[in-house]
Amino acid sequence: MVNHARDKGGRRRHGNGRHAVVIGGSLAGLLAAHVLAGHADRVTVVERDRIPDGPEPRPGVPQSRHAHVLLESGQLALDSLLPGFTAELRAAGAPRVGMPEDMVAWSGGAWVRRTAPTTHIHTGSRAHLEHLVRRRVLADPAIRTVESAEAVGLAGDASRVRGVLLRERGGTGGTAGAGASGRRQRTLPADLVVDASGRGSRAPQWLAAIGAEPPAEETIDTGQAYASRVYRDTGAHLGTEALAYWFYPNPAQTYAGGVLPLEDGSHLVALAGLRGQEPPTDDAGFTAFAARLPHPFLHEWLLTAEPRTPVYGFRATANLRRRYDRPGRRPAGFLATGDALCTFNPIYGQGMSVAAMSAVALRDALADPRRRPTTLRVQRALFDASRQAWDISAGADRAMPGAVGNAVASRAVDRPVGWYLNRVQRRYVGDPALVGPVFRSVLTLTAPLSALFAPRVARAVLFGPVVRPPAAPPMRAETTGG
């Protein structure tokens, strides 16, 4: 697709007749539609659900009731796409947590010192953030939505995609053109189709059906399962000025979970365990499971906190990457983004940020004056936007006991790198000056992995002392003198 001209005031000049269709109205799809509205005359977002008027969870986003964070990289990307968005997010009440000062964190078998923050995350609910994005994006008159419609295939052939096959959801009658289910099917023509339908994408099967080659898939699955519930703190029993609390898993201690503040003053509690250690979803079982964490303070708090929702479970946590970036017999006019391209174990909190970064990559690839934005070139830009998050998530899960999948095996080069990164983790919990800030910048995707190998960082990692971390949960931040 070519760049769409704009007048001197920045307004789009309509008339090129191009139509882009985005499958999926979640964060990745909305942001892709926003970018494409600068290059097409019309953009249609196809969504299986009815789009809510407010910040409500949707059935099509089964993980929306669980913990979400927006990393600094995601904040920067959203502000680049939707100027002023993070200020709007804060004004709407989304909690802003400074790392490491505002979080009591257990990582790599040690407590992290609560020194001055070097990065911030937003911890509000997924539905709240998505509502704000949706309101901004759908205000563009070039973007329309088709709700309660399911994409069931692609129109076109192995050389070019020319549209999407849609089926109305919830219909009953068997009319002409109806599919096997009795629901009416129609073709929505398009010059470009973007699959943002999530980790359950059926695009590989759709491509095969039109004679194209589906992508190879890479998977790493620890079998990790989540359970989450929203609570109200009835008496500040956590007893600290910290805003959040989190236990990160590792191969020696596989239970995870914690407490994150939400925009309405309540707290979301998430618990997680690997295959065979899944947290229960009944009241008593959920509370009892928290006692498995490395310290009892969260379990003790749950005994007095007031539940505000049922316990919700979630088990689809495998890392899955579809290699659309590799050459193959695939059609022009089709792209994949978001979880339809690469999905991560949610424990690492990367998904929303990578969705925003991918939209920036899409924007930059389409606007690059030096290169023609071919389908493969743009798809590779989208792949590159998710590469570091995959390296972090898949790399950590590869080391977890019981991990399965065709990408679990490590290469010879991974062993010395893994040895070095283990030294990084042992040092970052107690090093507020150098290793800690660099490590956090890599984890929040604002610095490349190579930053950990910079000479001064490497000297500290290889030859510097290991500062003893706190012996107990640091319930007071060092910067407050507590």
Side-chain angles (χ1 to χ4, degrees), residues 25-318:
S26 293
L27 191 62
L30 289 169
L31 295 176
H34 172 72
V35 170
L36 293 173
H39 300 268
D41 196 53
R42 296 178 297 128
V43 180
T44 301
V45 178
V46 176
E47 173 52 51
R48 296 177 75 251
D49 297 332
R50 292 290 297 176
I51 296 176
D53 294 330
E56 304 168 21
R58 294 186 290 109
V61 189
Q63 215 247 333
S64 64
R65 297 184 184 274
H66 299 270
H68 283 79
V69 299
L70 184 66
L71 306 176
E72 185 177 347
S73 54
Q75 298 166 45
L76 294 170
L78 279 167
D79 274 340
S80 176
L81 295 161
L82 305 171
F85 180 81
T86 56
E88 181 182 351
L89 187 63
R90 289 195 295 274
R96 185 171 183 256
V97 177
M99 304 289 286
E101 181 179 24
D102 294 335
M103 179 180 282
V104 176
W106 190 92
S107 177
W111 297 105
V112 181
R113 290 177 61 187
R114 291 180 56 198
T115 52
T118 60
T119 188
H120 291 80
I121 61 174
H122 284 282
T123 64
S125 67
R126 164 68 177 264
H128 183 245
L129 184 144
E130 194 169 284
H131 168 68
L132 296 177
V133 171
R134 185 166 57 238
R135 188 170 63 185
R136 289 278 297 268
V137 170
L138 297 187
D140 189 330
I143 301 173
R144 72 181 188 102
T145 61
V146 175
E147 302 175 42
S148 297
E150 184 177 11
V152 295
L154 299 172
D157 53 37
S159 62
R160 171 165 286 280
V161 165
R162 303 188 183 279
V164 181
L165 304 181
L166 299 183
R167 187 167 60 202
E168 296 176 1
R169 301 190 73 214
T172 56
T175 60
S181 66
R183 289 174 289 179
R184 187 169 52 193
Q185 184 171 300
R186 64 186 177 95
T187 300
L188 180 62
D191 299 285
L192 175 68
V193 173
V194 177
D195 178 23
S197 60
R199 69 164 60 229
S201 168
R202 302 286 295 171
Q205 291 84 355
W206 300 342
L207 289 168
I210 61 173
E213 181 181 347
E217 295 185 351
E218 299 171 340
T219 61
I220 299 175
D221 184 9
T222 65
Q224 190 167 58
Y226 290 83
S228 301
R229 193 178 205 182
V230 175
Y231 287 82
R232 185 176 71 88
D233 186 356
T234 58
H237 291 293
L238 283 166
T240 168
E241 86 293 350
L243 299 177
Y245 311 80
W246 204 258
F247 297 87
Y248 293 93
N250 62 55
Q253 199 291 125
T254 58
Y255 298 108
V259 185
L260 297 177
L262 298 177
E263 60 275 357
D264 63 356
S266 61
H267 295 79
L268 186 144
V269 175
L271 300 173
L274 300 187
R275 189 180 294 106
Q277 306 167 343
E278 299 88 348
T281 56
D282 63 283
D283 292 359
F286 181 82
T287 302
F289 189 90
R292 302 186 187 188
L293 295 172
H295 194 276
F297 70 77
L298 177 54
H299 176 251
E300 293 168 356
W301 180 73
L302 290 179
L303 295 174
T304 61
E306 176 190 334
R308 300 190 64 181
T309 67
V311 181
Y312 295 98
F314 185 75
R315 298 198 175 200
T317 63

